[in-house]
Amino acid sequence: MVRTVTLDPRAVTACYRRLLAHWGPQHWWPGETPFEVMVGAVLTQNTAWSNVERAIANLRAADALDPAAIAAMDRKRLGVLLRPAGYFNVKARRLQAFCRWYLGRGGFDALAREPTDTLRRELLAVHGVGPETADDVLLYAFERPVFVVDAYTRRLFSRLGWVPADIGYEPLRHAVERALGPDVAVFNEFHALIVRHGKTTCRPRPLCAGCVLHAGCGFAGS
DNA sequence: ACCCAGGGTCATA
DNA sequence: TATGACCATGGG
């Protein structure tokens, strides 16, 4: 039995509005096609996006930004293309596992007909796809109303005193989803804003100083 | 010379 | 179930 956490919808909405007013729309997810978004979701695991862009550029230059091309490619050669994204041996395997699932399931149009919970369960069964990567794919490629939790999200909400610091992925995801209602556009923007905010003023060390949320969300430092 | 990045898997206790 | 090691490049 997972303890459910409740967030105040008004407070979370105020937090979202304040971040949006301060940072502006983030235009996530960068990517020409849903498949490119999915590739980015795997490659950006624990990796700076600037490095992912280089790897995607390599794939495109090799005419390999395509599920069949990636699935059929020699793994070592794929690793060479992915090198700037880091963990390139790991990611070559993960990307091929993902592409084989994607092709085996009939591609985007077939997958887009499946209900969200089915898609999520299948994504999580693919080697190398964990909760955050699965939810990136669901939200930013399939445009399903799923909120993406990451380290920034957990840190922000726990520093605001709204959730325990060790809250699990699912409890936090459901709490935010309930507080902000099922809304693809809002979930899209909110996650991007939390990342944007987290990598600038709310870095791990030192703790937030002069953060834009101090006034709006009651964060008083630590 | 550190620390960090848009995580996840696997072995071990 | 819960830690810890491991994966690896590039920027601040």
PDB file of all heavy atoms in Angstrom, chain A residues 51 54 83 87 89, chain C residues 7-11:
ATOM      1  N   ASN A  51      24.602  17.555 -25.276  1.00  0.00           N
ATOM      2  CA  ASN A  51      25.317  16.368 -25.750  1.00  0.00           C
ATOM      3  C   ASN A  51      24.405  15.468 -26.563  1.00  0.00           C
ATOM      4  O   ASN A  51      24.838  14.810 -27.507  1.00  0.00           O
ATOM      5  CB  ASN A  51      25.886  15.583 -24.566  1.00  0.00           C
ATOM      6  CG  ASN A  51      27.079  16.278 -23.935  1.00  0.00           C
ATOM      7  OD1 ASN A  51      27.530  17.312 -24.424  1.00  0.00           O
ATOM      8  ND2 ASN A  51      27.576  15.720 -22.857  1.00  0.00           N
ATOM      9  N   ARG A  54      24.142  16.564 -30.209  1.00  0.00           N
ATOM     10  CA  ARG A  54      25.253  16.133 -31.072  1.00  0.00           C
ATOM     11  C   ARG A  54      25.030  14.718 -31.559  1.00  0.00           C
ATOM     12  O   ARG A  54      25.282  14.394 -32.731  1.00  0.00           O
ATOM     13  CB  ARG A  54      26.579  16.184 -30.312  1.00  0.00           C
ATOM     14  CG  ARG A  54      26.995  17.581 -29.879  1.00  0.00           C
ATOM     15  CD  ARG A  54      28.080  17.494 -28.810  1.00  0.00           C
ATOM     16  NE  ARG A  54      28.435  18.826 -28.315  1.00  0.00           N
ATOM     17  CZ  ARG A  54      29.590  19.428 -28.591  1.00  0.00           C
ATOM     18  NH1 ARG A  54      30.487  18.827 -29.332  1.00  0.00           N
ATOM     19  NH2 ARG A  54      29.839  20.618 -28.122  1.00  0.00           N
ATOM     20  N   ARG A  83      28.332   8.462 -29.333  1.00  0.00           N
ATOM     21  CA  ARG A  83      29.410   8.758 -28.398  1.00  0.00           C
ATOM     22  C   ARG A  83      29.264  10.072 -27.645  1.00  0.00           C
ATOM     23  O   ARG A  83      29.407  10.106 -26.424  1.00  0.00           O
ATOM     24  CB  ARG A  83      30.769   8.711 -29.117  1.00  0.00           C
ATOM     25  CG  ARG A  83      31.957   8.736 -28.182  1.00  0.00           C
ATOM     26  CD  ARG A  83      33.266   8.550 -28.934  1.00  0.00           C
ATOM     27  NE  ARG A  83      33.484   9.595 -29.916  1.00  0.00           N
ATOM     28  CZ  ARG A  83      33.949  10.811 -29.629  1.00  0.00           C
ATOM     29  NH1 ARG A  83      34.239  11.119 -28.393  1.00  0.00           N
ATOM     30  NH2 ARG A  83      34.099  11.705 -30.581  1.00  0.00           N
ATOM     31  N   TYR A  87      27.707   7.301 -22.076  1.00  0.00           N
ATOM     32  CA  TYR A  87      27.156   5.945 -21.875  1.00  0.00           C
ATOM     33  C   TYR A  87      26.818   5.308 -23.211  1.00  0.00           C
ATOM     34  O   TYR A  87      25.787   4.667 -23.365  1.00  0.00           O
ATOM     35  CB  TYR A  87      25.874   5.986 -21.046  1.00  0.00           C
ATOM     36  CG  TYR A  87      25.953   6.662 -19.704  1.00  0.00           C
ATOM     37  CD1 TYR A  87      24.913   7.449 -19.245  1.00  0.00           C
ATOM     38  CD2 TYR A  87      27.055   6.493 -18.878  1.00  0.00           C
ATOM     39  CE1 TYR A  87      24.964   8.069 -18.004  1.00  0.00           C
ATOM     40  CE2 TYR A  87      27.109   7.111 -17.635  1.00  0.00           C
ATOM     41  CZ  TYR A  87      26.070   7.895 -17.209  1.00  0.00           C
ATOM     42  OH  TYR A  87      26.116   8.511 -15.990  1.00  0.00           O
ATOM     43  N   ASN A  89      27.781   2.801 -25.074  1.00  0.00           N
ATOM     44  CA  ASN A  89      27.521   1.363 -25.223  1.00  0.00           C
ATOM     45  C   ASN A  89      26.162   0.989 -24.639  1.00  0.00           C
ATOM     46  O   ASN A  89      25.397   0.229 -25.226  1.00  0.00           O
ATOM     47  CB  ASN A  89      28.629   0.555 -24.541  1.00  0.00           C
ATOM     48  CG  ASN A  89      29.935   0.637 -25.301  1.00  0.00           C
ATOM     49  OD1 ASN A  89      29.949   0.489 -26.522  1.00  0.00           O
ATOM     50  ND2 ASN A  89      31.017   0.897 -24.592  1.00  0.00           N
TER      51      ASN A  89
ATOM     52  P    DC C   7      32.118   0.905 -15.853  1.00  0.00           P
ATOM     53  OP1  DC C   7      32.891  -0.137 -16.576  1.00  0.00           O
ATOM     54  OP2  DC C   7      32.788   2.025 -15.162  1.00  0.00           O
ATOM     55  O5'  DC C   7      31.095   1.547 -16.896  1.00  0.00           O
ATOM     56  C5'  DC C   7      30.173   0.704 -17.590  1.00  0.00           C
ATOM     57  C4'  DC C   7      29.049   1.555 -18.127  1.00  0.00           C
ATOM     58  O4'  DC C   7      28.307   2.123 -17.014  1.00  0.00           O
ATOM     59  C3'  DC C   7      29.513   2.756 -18.971  1.00  0.00           C
ATOM     60  O3'  DC C   7      28.792   2.752 -20.198  1.00  0.00           O
ATOM     61  C2'  DC C   7      29.093   3.966 -18.160  1.00  0.00           C
ATOM     62  C1'  DC C   7      27.892   3.410 -17.406  1.00  0.00           C
ATOM     63  N1   DC C   7      27.517   4.189 -16.216  1.00  0.00           N
ATOM     64  C2   DC C   7      26.160   4.392 -15.960  1.00  0.00           C
ATOM     65  O2   DC C   7      25.325   3.899 -16.726  1.00  0.00           O
ATOM     66  N3   DC C   7      25.803   5.125 -14.877  1.00  0.00           N
ATOM     67  C4   DC C   7      26.744   5.638 -14.073  1.00  0.00           C
ATOM     68  N4   DC C   7      26.336   6.346 -13.023  1.00  0.00           N
ATOM     69  C5   DC C   7      28.136   5.429 -14.324  1.00  0.00           C
ATOM     70  C6   DC C   7      28.469   4.709 -15.396  1.00  0.00           C
ATOM     71  P    DA C   8      29.498   2.960 -21.541  1.00  0.00           P
ATOM     72  OP1  DA C   8      28.493   2.879 -22.619  1.00  0.00           O
ATOM     73  OP2  DA C   8      30.735   2.183 -21.579  1.00  0.00           O
ATOM     74  O5'  DA C   8      29.844   4.510 -21.343  1.00  0.00           O
ATOM     75  C5'  DA C   8      31.174   4.971 -21.260  1.00  0.00           C
ATOM     76  C4'  DA C   8      31.176   6.415 -21.704  1.00  0.00           C
ATOM     77  O4'  DA C   8      30.270   7.145 -20.844  1.00  0.00           O
ATOM     78  C3'  DA C   8      32.520   7.124 -21.586  1.00  0.00           C
ATOM     79  O3'  DA C   8      32.534   8.118 -22.590  1.00  0.00           O
ATOM     80  C2'  DA C   8      32.438   7.755 -20.203  1.00  0.00           C
ATOM     81  C1'  DA C   8      30.993   8.201 -20.203  1.00  0.00           C
ATOM     82  N9   DA C   8      30.408   8.402 -18.887  1.00  0.00           N
ATOM     83  C8   DA C   8      30.698   7.772 -17.708  1.00  0.00           C
ATOM     84  N7   DA C   8      29.979   8.176 -16.693  1.00  0.00           N
ATOM     85  C5   DA C   8      29.145   9.143 -17.239  1.00  0.00           C
ATOM     86  C6   DA C   8      28.142   9.955 -16.683  1.00  0.00           C
ATOM     87  N6   DA C   8      27.795   9.926 -15.406  1.00  0.00           N
ATOM     88  N1   DA C   8      27.497  10.807 -17.514  1.00  0.00           N
ATOM     89  C2   DA C   8      27.857  10.835 -18.806  1.00  0.00           C
ATOM     90  N3   DA C   8      28.780  10.129 -19.448  1.00  0.00           N
ATOM     91  C4   DA C   8      29.398   9.286 -18.593  1.00  0.00           C
ATOM     92  P    DT C   9      33.887   8.758 -23.121  1.00  0.00           P
ATOM     93  OP1  DT C   9      34.409   7.825 -24.121  1.00  0.00           O
ATOM     94  OP2  DT C   9      34.743   9.176 -22.000  1.00  0.00           O
ATOM     95  O5'  DT C   9      33.370  10.063 -23.859  1.00  0.00           O
ATOM     96  C5'  DT C   9      32.196   9.996 -24.662  1.00  0.00           C
ATOM     97  C4'  DT C   9      31.394  11.273 -24.499  1.00  0.00           C
ATOM     98  O4'  DT C   9      30.806  11.305 -23.175  1.00  0.00           O
ATOM     99  C3'  DT C   9      32.248  12.542 -24.630  1.00  0.00           C
ATOM    100  O3'  DT C   9      31.702  13.348 -25.648  1.00  0.00           O
ATOM    101  C2'  DT C   9      32.156  13.216 -23.268  1.00  0.00           C
ATOM    102  C1'  DT C   9      30.899  12.619 -22.663  1.00  0.00           C
ATOM    103  N1   DT C   9      30.943  12.520 -21.187  1.00  0.00           N
ATOM    104  C2   DT C   9      29.991  13.186 -20.434  1.00  0.00           C
ATOM    105  O2   DT C   9      29.117  13.860 -20.940  1.00  0.00           O
ATOM    106  N3   DT C   9      30.105  13.028 -19.075  1.00  0.00           N
ATOM    107  C4   DT C   9      31.058  12.292 -18.407  1.00  0.00           C
ATOM    108  O4   DT C   9      31.055  12.232 -17.183  1.00  0.00           O
ATOM    109  C5   DT C   9      32.019  11.624 -19.237  1.00  0.00           C
ATOM    110  C7   DT C   9      33.092  10.794 -18.606  1.00  0.00           C
ATOM    111  C6   DT C   9      31.916  11.764 -20.572  1.00  0.00           C
ATOM    112  P    DG C  10      32.580  14.592 -26.206  1.00  0.00           P
ATOM    113  OP1  DG C  10      32.143  14.803 -27.596  1.00  0.00           O
ATOM    114  OP2  DG C  10      33.987  14.353 -25.869  1.00  0.00           O
ATOM    115  O5'  DG C  10      32.076  15.835 -25.343  1.00  0.00           O
ATOM    116  C5'  DG C  10      30.739  16.257 -25.492  1.00  0.00           C
ATOM    117  C4'  DG C  10      30.424  17.368 -24.509  1.00  0.00           C
ATOM    118  O4'  DG C  10      30.392  16.828 -23.164  1.00  0.00           O
ATOM    119  C3'  DG C  10      31.427  18.518 -24.478  1.00  0.00           C
ATOM    120  O3'  DG C  10      30.697  19.725 -24.338  1.00  0.00           O
ATOM    121  C2'  DG C  10      32.234  18.227 -23.222  1.00  0.00           C
ATOM    122  C1'  DG C  10      31.147  17.673 -22.332  1.00  0.00           C
ATOM    123  N9   DG C  10      31.615  16.885 -21.194  1.00  0.00           N
ATOM    124  C8   DG C  10      32.647  15.984 -21.171  1.00  0.00           C
ATOM    125  N7   DG C  10      32.814  15.434 -19.999  1.00  0.00           N
ATOM    126  C5   DG C  10      31.842  16.021 -19.204  1.00  0.00           C
ATOM    127  C6   DG C  10      31.536  15.824 -17.836  1.00  0.00           C
ATOM    128  O6   DG C  10      32.087  15.072 -17.028  1.00  0.00           O
ATOM    129  N1   DG C  10      30.471  16.610 -17.418  1.00  0.00           N
ATOM    130  C2   DG C  10      29.787  17.473 -18.222  1.00  0.00           C
ATOM    131  N2   DG C  10      28.790  18.151 -17.661  1.00  0.00           N
ATOM    132  N3   DG C  10      30.056  17.669 -19.514  1.00  0.00           N
ATOM    133  C4   DG C  10      31.091  16.915 -19.920  1.00  0.00           C
ATOM    134  P    DG C  11      31.375  21.116 -24.688  1.00  0.00           P
ATOM    135  OP1  DG C  11      30.864  21.451 -26.022  1.00  0.00           O
ATOM    136  OP2  DG C  11      32.826  21.036 -24.425  1.00  0.00           O
ATOM    137  O5'  DG C  11      30.719  22.092 -23.623  1.00  0.00           O
ATOM    138  C5'  DG C  11      29.341  21.969 -23.269  1.00  0.00           C
ATOM    139  C4'  DG C  11      29.103  22.553 -21.888  1.00  0.00           C
ATOM    140  O4'  DG C  11      29.522  21.602 -20.876  1.00  0.00           O
ATOM    141  C3'  DG C  11      29.863  23.844 -21.617  1.00  0.00           C
ATOM    142  O3'  DG C  11      28.992  24.767 -20.999  1.00  0.00           O
ATOM    143  C2'  DG C  11      30.990  23.409 -20.693  1.00  0.00           C
ATOM    144  C1'  DG C  11      30.347  22.253 -19.946  1.00  0.00           C
ATOM    145  N9   DG C  11      31.281  21.260 -19.423  1.00  0.00           N
ATOM    146  C8   DG C  11      32.280  20.620 -20.122  1.00  0.00           C
ATOM    147  N7   DG C  11      32.952  19.770 -19.392  1.00  0.00           N
ATOM    148  C5   DG C  11      32.354  19.852 -18.140  1.00  0.00           C
ATOM    149  C6   DG C  11      32.658  19.157 -16.944  1.00  0.00           C
ATOM    150  O6   DG C  11      33.534  18.303 -16.737  1.00  0.00           O
ATOM    151  N1   DG C  11      31.819  19.520 -15.892  1.00  0.00           N
ATOM    152  C2   DG C  11      30.817  20.450 -16.011  1.00  0.00           C
ATOM    153  N2   DG C  11      30.101  20.694 -14.908  1.00  0.00           N
ATOM    154  N3   DG C  11      30.519  21.116 -17.129  1.00  0.00           N
ATOM    155  C4   DG C  11      31.326  20.765 -18.147  1.00  0.00           C
TER     156       DG C  11
END
